[in-house]
Amino acid sequence: MRLTCRYYSDIGMPARLRQGIGALALAIASCLPAAAWAGQDAAAQDSTAQAGVAQDRTVAPPPLSAIAGVKVYTPADFARFAPTTAYDMLSQVPGFTIRAADNARGLGQASENVLINGQRSTDKAGGAIAQLQKISAADVERIEIKEAASLGIPGLTGQVADVIVRSDRKGRGNFSWNPAVRAHYAKARWLGGSISYSGTTGDLGYTFSLENNAGRGATGGNDYRVLSPGGALVEARDQVQWNASDDAKLSAILKYGGSGPAQANLTLDVDPFWNRGNNFQRRLRSDGNSNNWNYHSRTMGFQYDISGDVSVPLGGGRLKLIGLRHWEHDPLLVDQRSVYDSGAPSDGIRYGQDTKVGETVGRLEYHWKGGANDWTVSLERAYNRLSQVSTLASLAPDGSYVDIPFPQGTGIVAETRYEGIVSLSRPLSRKLDLQLAGGAEYSRLGEVGIASPPRHFFRPKGSASLAWRPAAGWDASLKLERKVGQISFGDFLANQDVTNNRGNDANPNLVPPQSWEVTGELGRNFGRWGKTRLKLYRYWVSDIVDHIPVGVDGDAVGNLPRATRTGIESISTIQFDPLGWRGAKLDADIGFERSRVRDPLTGLLRSISNTHDAFADLTLRHDVPGTQFAWGAGLSYQHYGLSYYLDEVNQNWEGPYASVFVELKNIHGVKVNFQVFNINDGHVRFYRTVYTGRRNATPISFYELQHQRVGPIFTLTLSGSF
């Protein structure tokens, strides 16, 4: 189990701390004895099972030696963890980090580094990861870890997990219930959990599930101050802030074809969701104008997803047709008001945003092999539309609301995008694989019903990847990619941040960003000692999205000419069995990023707003041999850089957080896990420096500093199969 929490800093990471974490990253990557480097290759090979052909069970699986660069894990490798679902197994693969699909519009090239039976998921409502959480561990034959460049699936980088699931699954169910209680401020979470049932009948596989992703968040405390530019106390605040969300989902997944020539998949999801939040602050002001400030928000939304694909043999290859429809209604209403001790009339604001989002995607893929060459041609059309109606009103002295004209917050934004990509994958030798992908996209993007016509974009895109296995236990990959990004349709329209009294203007001239990206990975398998990977990347971004000045004093989301991002990440699993501590392991994920962009106001180089520039997630787990008992601990550090607006600079962070857990793997067929999160009393912090106007030309208006308590969170998880 990986326990993850988040940490942010306002003044930047101290040099000594940066050096310490850097040293830790290098230590984890190289802490194993030199003997392990020279003597574990054979052990790594001995622990690797045979790999088979997932798509055709009438063909005998070839030996591993015929499938270069494949590392195979069988159910026996995960028995000590007593997994309930296929996802439980995947999450324990050494040195592997699960990467979910991005939220980009359309399907495009693959981004989720998880396959099921060799196939990329075309379901955007959770993808392969969500499907694995519904598949029983008993139905998993094996998990294969492969290099992305060796696959005929463009878009992936580094290692990819292929989860091989039985095609003749018996009817089995899974359940999970995870109530949680917080020590302060929030109500208990009782209704979080899921239940699913899956199996096969003839050539039809099915999975039905009901789940509720429930959240209960809260912070509070009186260490909350507003200071003058000279540091004098202007206002002291005592705050209690909570948020309660429920995201219920009823889904059905149907798979037809078994091992036959024709294959089909259909996924249906119905997903109502609710979100309520409240922020109460007692504000004691030095000028005597003290008040009670209250912010309340609520959303009652609904969304559905329908996706499916059909693939058939055609002309020596395989043709796949994919369709997807997503629709979401997300109505938000915010009410904020201040009630003054003096008896003066209350003031406040009410902000509403009724948003409807729709997406329709049609995609065609044709795949064939010619000798050593593995070819794929894809064509895609995606239509996306956002319809938003925003309202703004102020509180009158008599308690009624008076509408404020806010037409720039209302509008319709639509995009029609076409994409064509040709990819080639082939081995150059037993130790070297190549993948090339090239094509372009054409899009028509703009607001509907305004005088300006939609804009047209034609942009090339593609990638070149190499996967190299220089020696047993070693692997390396290198990828160069030309990528076309996307922009949030909501940024075309004006928006309001009621909490911080900040908004941005509409900007119909937003341009999608583009980037050149280079990513390299180096992996080392130490056999019984564990596994480590090192990832380095460098991105050159043009038309990056940021806040830009508009007119005399306007502020809008727009584009800056260029930016860079450079990062390093180390992912390691260290097994302690060779040292005599049987059943114990440490998972570590450590990384840094540095970014640069030229500030639109000062002209000076700075970091990209809110850059995730440092992180460390450490998880220790000990499965006590000969027992059904496990225990562990986690520590997470997450750092984000400054966020830049035209009239303020702010930064928020929380933690670091430490956690502990105990687990009983089988109590009458039920796994019981009890976790205590934030045993070290980590806090949430938020700092703001607000100017009287644009920050490059006006003095500071005030500073805002808050340290808010989170407290410990107690979570009980009961899971099992039936």
Side-chain angles (χ1 to χ4, degrees), residues 361-418:
V361 180
R363 183 177 176 87
L364 176 151
E365 296 178 352
Y366 185 65
H367 174 260
W368 77 98
K369 286 193 173 184
N373 297 325
D374 197 331
W375 294 91
T376 300
V377 175
S378 63
L379 299 172
E380 178 175 303
R381 181 188 187 274
Y383 177 74
N384 294 85
R385 176 186 172 101
L386 176 143
S387 174
Q388 179 175 296
V389 177
S390 297
T391 59
L392 198 60
S394 62
L395 183 66
D398 62 1
S400 64
Y401 281 94
V402 178
D403 289 336
I404 301 173
F406 191 50
Q408 64 271 33
T410 296
I412 298 173
V413 181
E415 178 187 46
T416 303
R417 190 175 68 258
Y418 300 86

Side-chain angles (χ1 to χ4, degrees), residues 538-596:
R538 171 79 170 182
Y539 302 160
W540 295 266
V541 187
S542 59
D543 293 322
I544 187 170
V545 176
D546 206 319
H547 279 262
I548 64 170
V550 177
V552 177
D553 58 359
D555 179 348
V557 176
N559 299 101
L560 298 179
R562 61 189 62 87
T564 60
R565 293 174 55 196
T566 306
I568 183 171
E569 181 178 6
S570 171
I571 304 167
S572 303
T573 296
I574 301 174
Q575 305 279 5
F576 293 103
D577 291 63
L579 298 177
W581 191 8
R582 295 178 55 222
K585 68 167 185 168
L586 175 68
D587 290 312
D589 188 355
I590 300 171
F592 303 92
E593 178 174 299
R594 293 295 176 262
S595 63
R596 286 291 180 267

Side-chain angles (χ1 to χ4, degrees), residues 72 91 138 142 171 174 270 278 280 327 450 495:
V72 178
S91 64
R142 63 188 180 275
N174 298 304
V270 178
N278 196 81
F280 175 81
W327 188 86
I450 65 173
N495 291 278

Side-chain angles (χ1 to χ4, degrees), residues 224-237 283-290 701-703:
Y224 190 165
R225 295 163 291 156
V226 177
L227 306 178
S228 71
L233 181 65
V234 174
E235 186 172 293
R237 300 176 179 178
R283 297 182 170 183
L284 300 175
R285 292 185 55 85
S286 59
D287 61 5
N289 200 21
S290 300
S701 176
F702 63 87
Y703 299 101

